[in-house]
Amino acid sequence: MIKIVLYQPEKPGNIGNILRTANATEIKVIIIGPLSFTLDDKSLKRAGMDYIPLSSFEIYDSYEDFYKDYKDKEIYYVTRYASKAYSSFDLSDVTKEYIFMFGRESTGIPYDILKAHLNHCMRIPMAPQARSLNLSNSVAIIVYEALRQVNFYNLSTKEVLKGEDFLTKD
């Protein structure tokens, strides 16, 4: 199982996009507050479309509250400061829970959290002059890498809604 942890996200549109991805990949999202917006924000709804009510997510008021429940779990921290690329991590065990934390759009994950978990910090490679990627895009990259490593376990790899032969039928 995959879980995405969002540390104090700042942009409701990103949350909506992430919840949409989470719904399409059957993963859970954990949001750590405080938030500067409400979850009924119209930009969150626009990005998340009608997937938000179907999405599995929970909210913690603070990192400390989250950590009480997850301190014994193996968490991966996605940060530009990591020295190992996400693709160098083995995420191929379908019986294991994979938890990926992403930081705020403006400041990332706090330094002290990263410093305490150096062996679990992963980086998305990018051009040297690039400062960062969009949060929802970063989440999608990591989620689909983890899913690729388990051969998209439990997800459809064929068109179901319109039929597997949609492109070939007359």
Side-chain angles (χ1 to χ4, degrees):
M1 169 186 260
I2 297 172
K3 292 183 181 177
I4 295 300
V5 179
L6 304 174
Y7 178 86
Q8 297 181 356
E10 300 164 308
K11 299 185 179 183
N14 280 334
I15 304 297
N17 287 333
I18 291 165
L19 290 175
R20 188 173 177 182
T21 298
N23 186 279
T25 55
E26 297 184 332
I27 64 171
K28 184 174 187 172
V29 175
I30 299 166
I31 301 170
I32 299 174
L35 298 176
S36 59
F37 56 89
T38 63
L39 290 178
D40 61 357
D41 186 284
K42 71 178 180 179
S43 59
L44 181 141
K45 288 181 182 176
R46 182 174 52 248
M49 296 176 53
D50 55 348
Y51 294 102
I52 293 172
L54 304 172
S55 298
S56 175
F57 68 95
E58 63 181 299
I59 300 173
Y60 284 87
D61 291 331
S62 68
Y63 178 76
E64 292 73 28
D65 290 343
F66 163 79
Y67 196 71
K68 285 177 196 170
D69 289 347
Y70 284 87
K71 66 179 173 239
D72 296 326
K73 303 285 186 178
E74 189 171 17
I75 302 171
Y76 296 90
Y77 303 84
V78 183
T79 175
R80 72 183 202 164
Y81 304 113
S83 57
K84 287 179 69 177
Y86 67 88
S87 55
S88 66
F89 287 83
D90 181 1
L91 309 170
S92 63
D93 187 347
V94 295
T95 64
K96 191 172 175 184
E97 180 177 60
Y98 293 102
I99 303 169
F100 303 100
M101 181 181 285
F102 295 81
R104 303 181 79 176
E105 290 91 336
S106 64
T107 58
I109 300 168
Y111 177 85
D112 56 328
I113 295 172
L114 296 175
K115 186 89 168 149
H117 304 282
L118 287 175
N119 290 337
H120 285 92
C121 288
M122 58 174 54
R123 172 184 182 80
I124 299 172
M126 57 187 155
Q129 71 277 11
R131 195 176 67 236
S132 65
L133 293 169
N134 173 275
L135 177 61
S136 62
N137 291 341
S138 297
V139 168
I141 289 167
I142 299 301
V143 165
Y144 272 92
E145 172 63 15
L147 290 169
R148 183 195 66 77
Q149 287 192 28
V150 294
N151 201 28
F152 302 102
Y153 179 79
N154 218 27
L155 296 181
S156 177
T157 57
K158 298 177 181 166
E159 171 54 38
V160 176
L161 299 176
K162 293 190 177 185
E164 193 175 328
D165 63 346
F166 177 72
L167 294 176
T168 58
K169 67 181 176 184
D170 293 330

